[in-house]
Amino acid sequence: MAAAVEPLFRIAPTTQGYDWGKLGNSSKVAQYASGAGIPDFTLKESAPYAELWMGTHPKSPSRVAESGEILAAYLAAHPELIGDRVSKQFGIKDGNLPFLFKVLAIRKALSIQTHPDKKTAEQLHAEQPNVYTDPNHKPEMAIALTPFQALCGFLPVEQIAAYLVSTPEFASLIPNAIVNQFLASSSTLDSKGPLRDLFSAFMSADVNQVKEEIIKLVTRYQAGEEKETEKGVKELVLILNEQYPGDIGIFCAFLLNYVTLSPGEAMFLGAGEPHAYVSGDIMECMANSDNVIRAGLTPKPKDIPNLVSGLTYNASPPTKHMVQPAKYGGATLLYDPPIPEFSVLRLNLQDGKEETHAAIDGPSVAIVTEGEGTVSWEGGKSLQLSTGNVFFLAAGVEVSFASKGTLNLYRAFVDVKN
């Protein structure tokens, strides 16, 4: 007789050792991986642990912990775990979840990048399947686990204009006519075209000239000769130059918003928004894709034409990208970005308290980020939980969480909106 299909079960995530990841046990990825029950995982203090993947993306799929079966295959065999409404909305036939949940631990800056919209992703995948490995878009949300620094979205045009005036090393990379056109437009409401022209010219600058201007800029900053306008970016420029000497992405400090998020704060980046994560540990949730269009701060291939053509050129303060969580329960917050593929719940239970989550119409993936406790469901069944545990929750199941002292977890889910 076949074993009953339980609505909750542990899954084994996977790790990615990209060079920019934090080393050894300083990485949240390594800390959680140690408690996640990953087969043959051994922590090495000198190794980078950059990402923990929790989901069904074929590049690095999670497995059912008990059986070792690939999660997508298990869900395809038991589609009731995903639920009819979500399966119909997203056309799911192969058990592939609409979202991918991750932990990132960032020691040095990730590349200046953007993600394509759905139509562009399909085109890029058809043209360059070895580079753009799936046909999906990749809107993403980052929630800070530790203090987190990032570049996100274009600065307001007046701030970019101020840098063009105050920072000759930056302005010299762009033809005077384009600089003047941008400066003239910076006091008007129609700046997208001039910003596009400015960014395109900047990204096409001569590589040797870029290196020369970076040397001048860094030398000036190291001598303490920064101007008042530049004080907010001086430290970032010096950090990026240490990590990626002479890279054009260093000058993106004069084009993109630089933000610091405290633990629990979040930001969302839709298609065509330039960004780069600089440092810190985060929870990240995205549509189920690994498509990245890169432009700088990376040894990986860059795709300047597709990056330039795909940006929104929306210039605004960073508040535009922030996600304000809403109360979901006494100890739970809801992060609900403006896309259908995912939302995230953050549970923070203290002092042995309990919290119930009502049934959700779609599937969930959750990770315990601190503490111990239990999750229980219908029939008196339960799982013991501790730091690093990752588990799947089926559609349509009510669950109750109880802490032993402290229990913090994040739960990514998809729920069909009425």
Side-chain angles (χ1 to χ4, degrees):
M1 181 180 295
V5 176
E6 293 293 348
L8 271 76
F9 52 88
R10 299 188 197 281
I11 60 176
T14 61
T15 61
Q16 309 297 328
Y18 307 134
D19 178 65
W20 49 260
K22 290 187 176 181
L23 303 179
N25 204 45
S26 67
S27 168
K28 291 286 187 187
V29 169
Q31 293 171 26
Y32 298 154
S34 296
I38 301 173
D40 301 321
F41 177 80
T42 302
L43 193 152
K44 299 176 182 178
E45 284 297 338
S46 60
Y49 294 91
E51 296 186 354
L52 187 78
W53 286 32
M54 301 167 282
T56 58
H57 194 282
K59 175 182 174 180
S60 195
S62 298
R63 294 177 179 268
V64 178
E66 185 174 356
S67 66
E69 187 173 358
I70 290 176
L71 178 60
Y74 187 77
L75 297 178
H78 304 286
E80 69 276 12
L81 297 173
I82 293 178
D84 287 343
R85 296 184 70 190
V86 167
S87 293
K88 289 176 181 177
Q89 178 174 356
F90 294 97
I92 298 172
K93 298 178 181 178
D94 55 2
N96 212 13
L97 297 173
F99 62 85
L100 176 60
F101 206 21
K102 294 183 182 180
V103 179
L104 272 63
I106 303 152
R107 176 174 54 94
K108 66 178 186 178
L110 281 68
S111 54
I112 302 292
Q113 62 185 259
T114 187
H115 304 299
D117 60 23
K118 179 68 172 172
K119 180 179 178 181
T120 304
E122 291 171 349
Q123 178 183 336
L124 292 175
H125 177 62
E127 294 172 349
Q128 304 178 64
N130 292 333
V131 178
Y132 301 102
T133 56
D134 59 73
N136 204 10
H137 66 162
K138 193 187 175 189
E140 63 188 32
M141 178 170 64
I143 307 172
L145 290 168
T146 62
F148 166 61
Q149 288 76 39
L151 293 164
C152 66
F154 284 107
L155 284 162
V157 291
E158 59 272 19
Q159 288 183 250
I160 297 174
Y163 286 134
L164 287 169
V165 172
S166 69
T167 310
E169 298 89 349
F170 171 45
S172 69
L173 299 175
I174 306 160
N176 287 336
I178 292 177
V179 170
N180 292 334
Q181 176 194 32
F182 180 82
L183 292 175
S185 75
S186 63
S187 60
T188 71
L189 297 177
D190 185 18
S191 60
K192 282 193 177 184
L195 178 56
R196 177 191 171 104
D197 291 345
L198 181 85
F199 188 73
S200 178
F202 162 71
M203 291 307 304
S204 303
D206 178 76
V207 173
N208 291 326
Q209 185 186 2
V210 170
K211 291 179 179 179
E212 290 174 3
E213 296 302 330
I214 288 173
I215 290 171
K216 292 178 187 176
L217 180 67
V218 168
T219 300
R220 182 160 65 85
Y221 281 2
Q222 289 175 336
E225 297 174 0
E226 72 276 8
K227 298 169 187 175
E228 189 65 29
T229 313
E230 301 170 315
K231 289 184 183 289
V233 296
K234 174 184 175 179
E235 181 181 2
L236 176 61
V237 165
L238 295 177
I239 289 172
L240 295 180
N241 186 62
E242 286 181 6
Q243 296 176 354
Y244 301 95
D247 191 288
I248 193 169
I250 295 164
F251 279 112
C252 284
F254 301 101
L255 288 162
L256 306 182
N257 291 292
Y258 184 44
V259 299
T260 295
L261 301 187
S262 298
E265 293 184 325
M267 67 181 192
F268 172 75
L269 294 154
E273 296 291 353
H275 61 280
Y277 298 160
V278 176
S279 66
D281 301 88
I282 61 172
M283 297 301 310
E284 186 182 44
C285 199
M286 64 204 68
N288 194 9
S289 173
D290 195 39
N291 284 325
V292 179
I293 306 175
R294 297 180 177 86
L297 304 181
T298 179
K300 295 182 179 180
K302 301 173 186 178
D303 189 348
I304 304 304
N306 278 312
L307 181 121
V308 168
S309 66
L311 295 176
T312 64
Y313 297 100
N314 291 323
S316 66
T319 49
K320 171 181 180 288
H321 302 283
M322 299 302 110
V323 178
Q324 299 300 326
K327 274 287 192 181
Y328 188 83
T332 305
L333 294 175
L334 168 66
Y335 299 83
D336 191 20
I339 41 92
E341 284 88 351
F342 63 84
S343 301
V344 174
L345 297 174
R346 179 192 179 199
L347 174 70
N348 183 352
L349 279 178
Q350 302 291 331
D351 303 324
K353 293 184 179 178
E354 300 183 7
E355 178 110 326
T356 297
H357 287 178
I360 293 173
D361 268 340
S364 306
V365 172
I367 179 171
V368 179
T369 55
E370 183 183 8
E372 296 181 76
T374 59
V375 56
S376 57
W377 61 97
E378 186 179 7
K381 297 180 179 179
S382 64
L383 280 179
Q384 296 297 313
L385 302 176
S386 60
T387 301
N389 288 175
V390 181
F391 55 102
F392 178 90
L393 301 88
V397 58
E398 180 180 279
V399 292
S400 294
F401 297 96
S403 65
K404 295 179 181 178
T406 294
L407 178 65
N408 289 338
L409 64 81
Y410 286 84
R411 176 184 179 184
F413 68 96
V414 57
D415 189 9
V416 176
K417 304 293 192 293
N418 294 324

